[in-house]
Amino acid sequence: MLATALLGISYRQDALQNMTVQGEEQNVTITRAFAHSIWNEFSVFLTETDNLSDEDLRNHPVTAQLLQRVEEQLAGLSVAKIKIFDLQGRTIFSTELDQIGIRQYDSEEFQAALEGEVTTSLGHRDRFSSISGELEDRSIISSYIPILSTGLTSTPSQSIETPNSDIIAVFKLYNDFTPLVQQTRSTQRAILLKAIIILGALYGLLLWLTSRADGTIQVQYAAIKQSATDYYNLAQEQEDTLSNLRSAQSQLIHQEKLAALGQLVAGVAHEINTPLGAIQASASNMTKALEESLTELPRLSEHLTPHQQVTFFALLDLARHNNSFLTSSEKRPLRKVLMQQLKEADIENPRQVANLLIDMGVHDSVAPYMSLLTSDSSTWLLRLAYNLARLPANNRTILSAVERAAKVVFALKNFAHHDHTEELQLVSVVDGIETVLELYYNQLKHGVDVQRDYQATPQVWCYPDELVQVWTNLIHNGIQAMDGTGTITISVSQDRDYCQVSVTDTGQGIPPELRAKIFEPFFTTKKAGEGSGLGLHISRQVIEKHQGMMEVDSQPGCTTFTIGLPLDIPETGAFSEATDASREDRAVSISQIFPFEEELNHV
């Protein structure tokens, strides 16, 4: 019960930490959407508020317009409040108007944002004022996010690599995560309750089996002395008992799979939520760009000469085929070159124009497009071209996000699938390995480099569900052995009549004195709550059931588990004999889990 309680606390802490990371990524995504859709429209007003008093700023008509646009943009989202600070820490906009003018300069989070860092915290508020009114008993994730002069924001995984002069404002988003926190608490309580029930039931089952076996031994031992018939009955009862033990072992394997699935739930939820956020932001951008473009396109011929029309569509074609994504450090030298060319041509707002041209793929020279830039409607034309060019880019983002989410769902479906037929199937070993890697992607991407060496091998006859459990145990053990940082190398090749699979990690290795014990049931070197001690034991039983072999070689910094699976399925009779033989072997291994069975075998 103590271990279960500690597991529940650890689960809740991990869930809250993952939730904070998820909230930070969601806030950054929303801020990026704001930067693309609203900031450019109101940037002139928001960057020239120094001459306005707090009262004038609250009552300014542009503030009302901005508030309306923000509320429209936040419709359907969980964002409770938004603030915008200038570089002196003054609140120049807030969805709660009476907070405009409040200073935040001494805040450590604000100072970190001025350095280009995104800071996020999860806290509980008894009372909280939001866009929709006063809220009570809420769990709020708040993020300070810097805004660059380009209209972009930093990512949550790294700071902005740019001078402070490129940061022109700081966003603060309050995201209401109360439902997820409450769900986490409910899940924690449910897990604790189920774990206690399962442990109690297992203890009762073992106690019942022990009492039953002890009574059976005593009764049948006396009966053996009386007649050979009674001995036959005792042997039959022993077979029934072994069948019950095999059933219990099968349940342990299934529980081990469910435990692994439970550990993956938070990561899988995050991997699905991230592309959903990207789809939402891209769809919003596409909607705004379409609305503006459809309104302005009929006026295009009024503003352009035939020569300018050719130039305009050439610029649009260049932007449409621009698939490159440049970082801030890569954009900086390109922007300087373009700004110099624009200043020499007396183009107004050279920085803003240069940023738009870079986003549309113009990196070297503005000379081919000078007829548009010197036009009286240059700003209108550039904005129209930018909106049209962003449509295919946003569409590619949505397609990529949908593909990512589909991969995660497909992998989860394959992992959770249970084959009730208990029949051998001809499948590819690589498919099962890739299913496990896809589900562990959230843990692998933060510091584990996966090296694949898949050679062309025939499909093998196997029980796919059981093999997936083997790959899950080996990959999960490798991640834990490296503390989440290192390299996992997976090789699949053909060695004569066997498909050979090796999984190598760069962890600390297995000491020689423990190497002979790692396949014993309930033996584990992990911390309490991190392992049941059945993973490798079950894995070797599964491989032996397939008439294969499993070996381990370990030195500090390199541990390799090698598995060999036969490529050819035996004939029906031969397979039955092999199955009978494997039953005897499994009976011995079961006796390691339930020691009283040795007494049954002796009788």
Side-chain angles (χ1 to χ4, degrees), residues 480-501:
Q480 288 188 323
M482 300 184 299
D483 292 330
T485 303
T487 301
I488 290 181
T489 302
I490 303 177
S491 300
V492 179
S493 60
Q494 181 176 354
D495 183 10
R496 291 173 294 183
D497 296 333
Y498 284 84
C499 175
Q500 183 170 293
V501 180

Side-chain angles (χ1 to χ4, degrees), residues 493-564:
S493 60
Q494 181 176 354
D495 183 10
R496 291 173 294 183
D497 296 333
Y498 284 84
C499 175
Q500 183 170 293
V501 180
S502 64
V503 180
T504 304
D505 64 73
T506 57
Q508 58 185 358
I510 305 173
E513 62 274 12
L514 301 180
R515 208 168 297 163
K517 299 181 180 180
I518 60 175
F519 294 104
E520 295 179 2
F522 303 113
F523 176 81
T524 179
T525 59
K526 301 174 184 177
K527 298 178 182 178
E530 291 185 357
S532 63
L534 292 174
L536 290 177
H537 174 73
I538 292 174
S539 297
R540 188 162 71 170
Q541 282 193 313
V542 169
I543 299 304
E544 290 176 351
K545 178 180 179 179
H546 287 77
Q547 304 178 41
M549 61 86 182
M550 183 174 186
E551 299 175 348
V552 60
D553 181 39
S554 180
Q555 292 88 30
C558 181
T559 299
T560 301
F561 284 87
T562 303
I563 294 172

Side-chain angles (χ1 to χ4, degrees), residues 300 303-316 347 353 357 360 366-382 385:
L300 183 63
H303 295 271
L304 297 178
T305 66
H307 174 70
Q308 289 176 330
Q309 290 183 19
V310 173
T311 305
F312 176 82
F313 286 110
L315 174 61
L316 187 60
I347 303 299
V353 173
L357 290 174
M360 288 189 288
V366 299
Y369 314 103
M370 192 58 70
S371 61
L372 296 178
L373 300 177
T374 56
S375 171
D376 294 337
S377 305
S378 60
T379 302
W380 180 85
L381 292 171
L382 283 177

Side-chain angles (χ1 to χ4, degrees), residues 202-368:
L202 181 61
Y203 177 78
L205 174 63
L206 294 177
L207 184 61
W208 175 78
L209 288 175
T210 303
S211 301
R212 180 183 176 88
D214 182 65
T216 300
I217 290 173
Q218 298 298 328
V219 172
Q220 296 300 329
Y221 180 75
I224 288 174
K225 296 180 179 180
Q226 297 179 8
S227 68
T229 303
D230 291 340
Y231 176 79
Y232 173 79
N233 293 334
L234 175 61
Q236 188 64 42
E237 187 171 347
Q238 180 188 10
E239 180 63 26
D240 294 339
T241 303
L242 290 177
S243 177
N244 292 334
L245 292 176
R246 295 190 192 101
S247 176
Q249 183 188 35
S250 177
Q251 293 178 5
L252 286 175
I253 294 175
H254 186 58
Q255 290 173 7
E256 186 77 7
K257 185 174 182 179
L258 290 179
L261 184 60
Q263 295 172 353
L264 293 173
V265 166
V268 170
H270 169 74
E271 287 302 311
I272 294 178
N273 190 63
T274 297
L276 288 180
I279 292 172
Q280 184 182 40
S282 298
S284 176
N285 290 338
M286 290 179 67
T287 300
K288 181 178 181 296
L290 275 173
E291 290 175 353
E292 294 182 3
S293 301
L294 292 176
T295 302
E296 302 295 342
L297 272 176
R299 301 168 48 199
L300 183 63
S301 60
E302 300 175 6
H303 295 271
L304 297 178
T305 66
H307 174 70
Q308 289 176 330
Q309 290 183 19
V310 173
T311 305
F312 176 82
F313 286 110
L315 174 61
L316 187 60
D317 186 65
L318 174 65
R320 186 168 58 88
H321 291 88
N322 177 35
N323 297 325
S324 61
F325 177 79
L326 302 178
T327 63
S328 298
S329 58
E330 292 172 335
K331 287 182 178 181
R332 195 176 300 117
L334 300 176
R335 183 170 58 243
K336 290 181 180 180
V337 173
L338 294 184
M339 285 179 60
Q340 181 63 34
Q341 297 178 21
L342 295 171
K343 289 179 180 179
E344 293 175 356
D346 294 330
I347 303 299
E348 296 182 0
N349 299 323
R351 175 179 288 273
Q352 181 179 358
V353 173
N355 287 332
L356 287 176
L357 290 174
I358 290 174
D359 288 342
M360 288 189 288
V362 179
H363 300 156
D364 301 323
S365 173
V366 299

